[in-house]
Amino acid sequence: MRILHIIDHLGVGGAQTFLLNLLAAWRREDRVDVVGLGQADDLVSRFHEKTSATVRVLGLGKHDPRSIRRVRDLVAETGCDLLHAHLAKSILSALRGQRRAGIPLILHEQSLSYGWPWIYRFGMRRWQGRAARVIGSSRSTVEHLGRVLGVPEEKLRVVYNMVDLDPFRAEARDPGLRAELGIAPDVPVLGFLGRLATVKGPAFLIRAVGRLREQFPGVVGVLVGDGPLRQELEREARELGLSNSVRIVGYQADVPRWLSLFDVAVVPSLSESFGISALEAMAMG
């Protein structure tokens, strides 16, 4: 088969990590194309390294209406036998842009209703009949898709998120990382791994570190990731007098190395369907 995966962007994110892991484990002799509609391309090199897929980034803006036409063009260009759309922008673009008869359309949702804009809800309710299957990453996601968006039960499927366990083996642990950051061996480290966005709740961890210092004076919070809240979080840490107790280290490609620093991995999200950061923390033990 020729399979075309389209996704909102190829930056760092749970859906992108899922797709990367899925294609790295793919054992069929299919021809696979991966297209990121947006501008972010952080994971392109990893797709080239770990998969045999042909990868492209279109660089369209978040609300660029041209994505609908480009999906239609991509279906024709690739001659695909199946179109698999991941996340809201790609799902809407696929529902409106895929008109070629005989090509099954799979919609793959990784989030709960917290992040669904009104236009996505409207589009899913109106055009979901064009999809052969609608996948959710957890039972709760599938229940939302049925209850909130009216997707028929016979179309719904659960496909859980996954991680490749090999990189999280014992040799991934790096005892020298504490020394690099100036953190003593006996200091408890609370770690966050994810996007620095409101829905992921990183501010709660910073405030918790402030309260925990009353009982554990040396406790340190380490936030691994980047996003729109970074400057705000750095300012909040300073205002709470936590500049030495909270480290925001930005995006780090070597996830196992940084997880090995944590004594406790914290997932303070307001909404998660099936968080990959929690899976990675469990894989690390």
Side-chain angles (χ1 to χ4, degrees), residues 198-219:
T198 301
V199 69
K200 297 297 183 180
F204 299 126
L205 176 57
I206 291 176
R207 295 164 198 165
V209 168
R211 295 175 65 179
L212 283 168
R213 284 203 314 169
E214 298 171 10
Q215 188 173 351
F216 305 98
V219 68

Side-chain angles (χ1 to χ4, degrees), residues 5-224:
H5 289 272
I6 59 171
I7 191 164
D8 285 15
H9 60 81
L10 286 174
V12 178
Q16 292 78 6
T17 301
F18 169 85
L19 181 55
L20 177 65
N21 289 333
L22 173 70
L23 296 184
W26 201 252
R27 294 294 176 260
R28 291 167 49 106
E29 296 299 322
D30 302 301
R31 296 175 62 192
V32 178
D33 293 89
V34 175
V35 177
L37 300 183
Q39 298 170 349
D41 61 358
D42 311 82
L43 295 183
V44 169
S45 61
R46 294 185 65 192
F47 272 92
H48 286 309
E49 174 190 339
K50 296 184 67 174
T51 79
S52 60
T54 300
V55 186
R56 281 186 276 176
V57 174
L58 299 187
L60 301 175
K62 185 171 184 180
H63 303 294
D64 195 324
R66 291 177 296 172
S67 60
I68 297 171
R69 190 182 73 238
R70 288 298 291 126
V71 169
R72 191 177 304 140
D73 294 342
L74 286 164
V75 169
E77 289 170 18
T78 61
C80 65
D81 303 299
L82 184 145
L83 176 60
H84 191 146
H86 306 255
L87 300 179
K89 176 182 176 180
S90 297
I91 287 172
L92 282 180
S93 300
L95 285 172
R96 296 294 289 138
Q98 164 38 16
R99 301 292 182 84
R100 190 167 139 201
I103 299 178
L105 171 60
I106 294 176
L107 309 180
H108 199 140
E109 183 54 76
Q110 291 273 1
S111 67
L112 295 173
S113 56
Y114 182 93
W116 292 346
W118 71 267
I119 192 169
Y120 175 70
R121 296 169 185 260
F122 171 82
M124 279 289 284
R125 291 191 188 105
R126 182 165 184 176
W127 299 304
Q128 62 180 261
R130 298 173 182 173
R133 292 287 183 271
V134 181
I135 294 173
S137 59
S138 65
R139 287 192 298 273
S140 59
T141 307
V142 162
E143 288 167 4
H144 268 66
L145 288 165
R147 185 172 64 254
V148 178
L149 300 183
V151 179
E153 185 177 351
E154 62 269 19
K155 285 192 176 185
L156 290 167
R157 297 291 186 275
V158 177
V159 176
Y160 296 115
N161 282 338
M162 58 185 152
V163 295
D164 177 4
L165 297 178
D166 285 345
F168 297 91
R169 293 172 296 193
E171 53 264 36
R173 300 187 182 277
D174 184 359
L177 191 52
R178 278 180 176 259
E180 285 182 30
L181 295 174
I183 301 174
D186 58 341
V187 166
V189 174
L190 307 184
F192 167 90
L193 176 69
R195 188 160 43 92
L196 301 183
T198 301
V199 69
K200 297 297 183 180
F204 299 126
L205 176 57
I206 291 176
R207 295 164 198 165
V209 168
R211 295 175 65 179
L212 283 168
R213 284 203 314 169
E214 298 171 10
Q215 188 173 351
F216 305 98
V219 68
V220 171
V222 176
L223 283 72
V224 180

